[in-house]
Amino acid sequence: MDKNSKIYVAGHGGMVGGAIVRNLKSKGFSDIIGKRSCELDLINQQAVEDFFATEKPQYVFMAAAKVGGINANNTYPAEFIYQNMMIEANVINAAYKNGVKKMIFMGSGCIYPRIVPQPIKEEYLLSAALEKTNEPYAIAKIAGLTLCSSYNRQYGTNYISLMPCNLFGEGDSYSLKNSHVVPALIRKIYEAKTENKEFVTIWGTGKAMREFMHVDDLAEAAYFVMQKDVPYPLLNVGQGSDITIAELARILCDIIEYKGKICFDASMPDGTPRKLLDSSKLFSLGWKPKISVEEGLKRVYLDYLSNKDNYRK
């Protein structure tokens, strides 16, 4: 891409898409297209085809998706698989039909089997059974990256899929029912502090291990891969280390200055026991994350304090 390239960021209003737009603007890109769902329904094939035929973007960052935590995946499995598969199929096919030069497809680390050797290499994909709590979402994302690789093989397109670890950052959803673990914990712990509660209850045993990364690092990785001739169709994007959910909760308690106790509700699911990505292929190309987990969590908490009344709850 050069500074005059026409770039479509699908899902620009979400956490990942918003971070990509901020990254591109900071580098001087100005011809960036973004359409909210009320303007362009990505589930509607004709609407997507009309949009691509009219706008003719040269490059696409495909960050649009229906996302959520364990509870949301368990509650709305049909919506997670249907909406994500429709969005991916429509955007990827329209990109091909309208001559998009290159596309970055955002997958998820949850595509990998529930039990695999750690850290998880890209080649472990489809080597064993998926985690049941997010299986519909994972299958949809696997379909998306398979679409990308299939179009590359048959049509010679240049579509690269990125599989990020657990993300957090500005613009996230803080719903206690549907959000991911970091925003849910920030809200729970903050409200426990402001309401002077003696303890805060967290889902699961606290023993599950996760790898966390600030979304601005993912945005930089996406830009890096877009600009580089990459020999891999699928790349993990991670921080390189993981922590338990209990450790994450303690870090957030320190940042938020909450002095109460942390209680774990073991009757609720932990999800996959451990999920640490092997990002050595991407690291070998010259990219590394710059924001430490603790620094990123401090930034996000300050952002939450400033914008909590505006964020989705």
Side-chain angles (χ1 to χ4, degrees), residues 9 43 48 59 64 105 122 136 155 212 230 233 240 248 278 293:
V9 180
I43 296 174
V48 174
Y59 300 90
F105 173 76
E122 288 89 347
Y155 299 124
F212 295 99
V230 175
L248 171 67
D278 182 338
V293 172

Side-chain angles (χ1 to χ4, degrees), residues 5 57-60 95 98-103 156-159 226:
S5 297
Q58 297 166 282
Y59 300 90
V60 173
N98 289 277
V100 167
K101 293 180 179 180
K102 189 172 182 178
M103 175 164 55
T157 51
N158 190 4
Y159 301 160
M226 182 66 91

Side-chain angles (χ1 to χ4, degrees), residues 170-189:
E170 291 79 355
D172 209 340
S173 169
Y174 286 85
S175 165
L176 294 180
K177 291 183 177 181
N178 299 328
S179 67
H180 290 105
V181 62
V182 169
L185 286 181
I186 288 175
R187 182 177 168 191
K188 274 190 172 186
I189 295 169

Side-chain angles (χ1 to χ4, degrees), residues 19-36:
I20 291 170
V21 170
R22 290 195 302 271
N23 184 284
L24 292 172
K25 287 183 176 179
S26 73
K27 291 176 167 60
F29 292 90
S30 57
D31 197 355
I32 303 169
I33 313 165
K35 296 285 186 181
R36 295 193 175 273

Side-chain angles (χ1 to χ4, degrees), residues 115-128:
I115 305 296
V116 287
Q118 304 286 325
I120 305 170
K121 298 179 182 293
E122 288 89 347
E123 51 264 38
Y124 295 165
L125 180 64
L126 298 177
S127 64

